[in-house]
Amino acid sequence: MGGCSVLGRFWGVWRRRPGVRAVPTAPGFGTEAGHRLRPRGSSKRSRPLGGQPFPGLLQLENLSREELVDVLRAAVVDQKGKPGELTLFSVLPELSQSLGLGDQELQVVQASGKETSGLVLLSSCPQTASRLQKFFIYSRRAQKPTATYCAVTDGIPATSEGKIQAALKLEHIDGVDLVIPVKSPSRKDFQEGVKRTLSHFHVVAMGSGCALVQLQPLTVFPSQLQVHMVLQLCPVLGDHTYSARVGTVLGQRFLLPAESTKPQRQVPDEALLRRLYLTPSQAAQLPLHLHLHCLHLPGMRPGEAPMKLLAPLPSYFSRTLQCLGLHQQ
């Protein structure tokens, strides 16, 4: 299997070895079997941010096309074998030329959501891309997870691990595409676009009313993991789209009607703001703490052992873990 690249969507330290390629995009891509999840950078106590942006958050609006290509090329760790909008897709031709691939076109094989950090898998070989797509489809049908995400949640799940199942649909509300849960869907609902979704979750650490959670989606649907955590009454930190669906009365959380709850900036309580050293205005810019940490892939050639690709955490994510005292056990 050749012509494959992996992109990591954050700033980080990249290790090189023969194999696949990795690069970052906003807001934030490494490979090494057995690499453990741990905060990067200084072990000193985190300090207030002041007027500085969140560390490690790539600001696309401050980059030119050439600078973005340089960022992506510099983040390559491994290699084997809308018009005018500045996005990863828009600069793939320049990135292909910059990596010396000639006329070979890069295509996205696997990627997380727009605001999610972590791995992005690219390929310059149509046969490799096709094989990987078939692998992901087969794994989903066999309910074998291929992706592991890390999330910091505002709230702690009621159980330490389990499954989240929900029927979801995509609905255009007030000019915005939003994911809506559907209770007791009918056959007609499924014919009209409602999908059954499933995710595994495991609480790695908890503290300060928050949790570090590993999430493994077994289905593919827009914003699936964010909505699943909202259904657990534990929205992902920095989720400024769906967290408003969780209401609180006398310290008890409950779900508000999704259809009538408009997206709004997440507002952590005062105690959490103090632990994070954030002002309310800074909290309004808090990045989504959802990170595609690990991808499982088949061997590069028939008979070879499967691969595990790992992306270290963005520095803003690591800082949050340090502030909240959340560490992998």
Side-chain angles (χ1 to χ4, degrees):
M1 182 170 68
C4 190
S5 302
V6 184
L7 307 184
R9 306 174 86 189
F10 65 88
W11 302 106
V13 177
W14 301 102
R15 304 183 178 183
R16 291 185 178 271
R17 75 172 221 219
V20 190
R21 274 187 184 171
V23 186
T25 70
F29 302 34
T31 88
E32 182 183 355
H35 175 77
R36 294 181 63 81
L37 170 64
R38 62 184 182 275
R40 296 267 178 179
S42 172
S43 60
K44 295 181 181 179
R45 181 175 176 83
S46 296
R47 300 183 181 277
L49 290 176
Q52 300 176 357
F54 292 95
L57 186 62
L58 184 61
Q59 312 246 341
L60 282 180
E61 63 272 18
N62 297 330
L63 297 179
S64 66
R65 294 181 68 90
E66 293 77 13
E67 289 170 334
L68 180 57
V69 171
D70 288 342
V71 167
L72 297 174
R73 185 183 67 242
V76 170
V77 287
D78 261 312
Q79 178 179 1
K80 197 87 168 183
K82 310 171 184 173
E85 185 179 11
L86 185 58
T87 65
L88 169 64
F89 291 95
S90 73
V91 299
L92 285 181
E94 288 100 321
L95 178 60
S96 179
Q97 292 294 324
S98 181
L99 294 174
L101 298 178
D103 295 331
Q104 300 179 74
E105 294 184 0
L106 283 170
Q107 56 184 304
V108 177
V109 179
Q110 181 86 333
S112 52
K114 179 180 179 181
E115 297 181 349
T116 306
S117 64
L119 293 160
V120 172
L121 187 63
L122 304 179
S123 177
S124 59
C125 173
Q127 290 80 9
T128 296
S130 177
R131 182 187 173 197
L132 287 171
Q133 292 288 7
K134 291 177 181 178
F135 167 76
F136 290 130
I137 292 172
Y138 171 81
S139 297
R140 287 196 294 271
R141 289 175 178 173
Q143 294 202 342
K144 295 181 179 180
T146 58
T148 300
Y149 290 75
C150 297
V152 177
T153 60
D154 181 3
I156 301 172
T159 59
S160 60
E161 59 183 333
K163 295 181 179 180
I164 307 170
Q165 301 183 68
L168 303 178
K169 66 176 179 179
L170 196 60
E171 198 165 291
H172 198 69
I173 302 176
D174 294 334
V176 180
D177 289 328
L178 296 174
V179 177
I180 306 293
V182 180
K183 294 183 178 179
S184 304
S186 64
R187 178 178 297 181
K188 182 180 179 181
D189 289 328
F190 290 116
Q191 293 173 343
E192 294 178 349
V194 174
K195 301 291 184 182
R196 297 189 189 277
T197 61
L198 172 64
S199 300
H200 288 163
F201 74 91
H202 170 67
V203 177
V204 176
M206 61 184 76
S208 305
C210 297
L212 171 61
V213 182
Q214 287 186 347
L215 295 164
Q216 293 181 316
L218 292 171
T219 52
V220 176
F221 200 84
S223 303
Q224 173 178 316
L225 296 179
Q226 291 167 250
V227 175
H228 278 187
M229 294 316 297
V230 164
L231 294 176
Q232 296 292 299
L233 302 178
C234 301
V236 177
L237 194 64
D239 181 355
H240 302 295
T241 302
Y242 298 103
S243 62
R245 296 178 183 178
V246 178
T248 305
V249 173
L250 299 177
Q252 297 298 313
R253 296 189 174 196
F254 63 95
L255 286 175
L256 294 166
E259 295 83 355
S260 59
T261 304
K262 294 183 179 181
Q264 62 183 37
R265 291 291 179 181
Q266 189 181 48
V267 183
D269 61 34
E270 291 185 4
L272 182 53
L273 287 177
R274 287 195 298 269
R275 291 299 301 266
L276 296 175
Y277 297 103
L278 295 176
T279 64
S281 61
Q282 288 171 331
Q285 304 301 320
L286 194 67
L288 181 69
H289 282 56
L290 183 62
H291 176 77
L292 178 49
H293 173 59
C294 177
L295 276 176
H296 291 270
L297 300 179
M300 303 299 284
R301 296 179 180 85
E304 287 189 351
M307 296 179 60
K308 181 190 290 187
L309 306 175
L310 299 162
L313 295 172
S315 52
Y316 64 81
F317 199 121
S318 297
R319 179 189 181 278
T320 295
L321 295 183
Q322 188 178 30
C323 289
L324 300 177
L326 298 175
H327 304 287
Q328 187 180 31
Q329 300 172 354

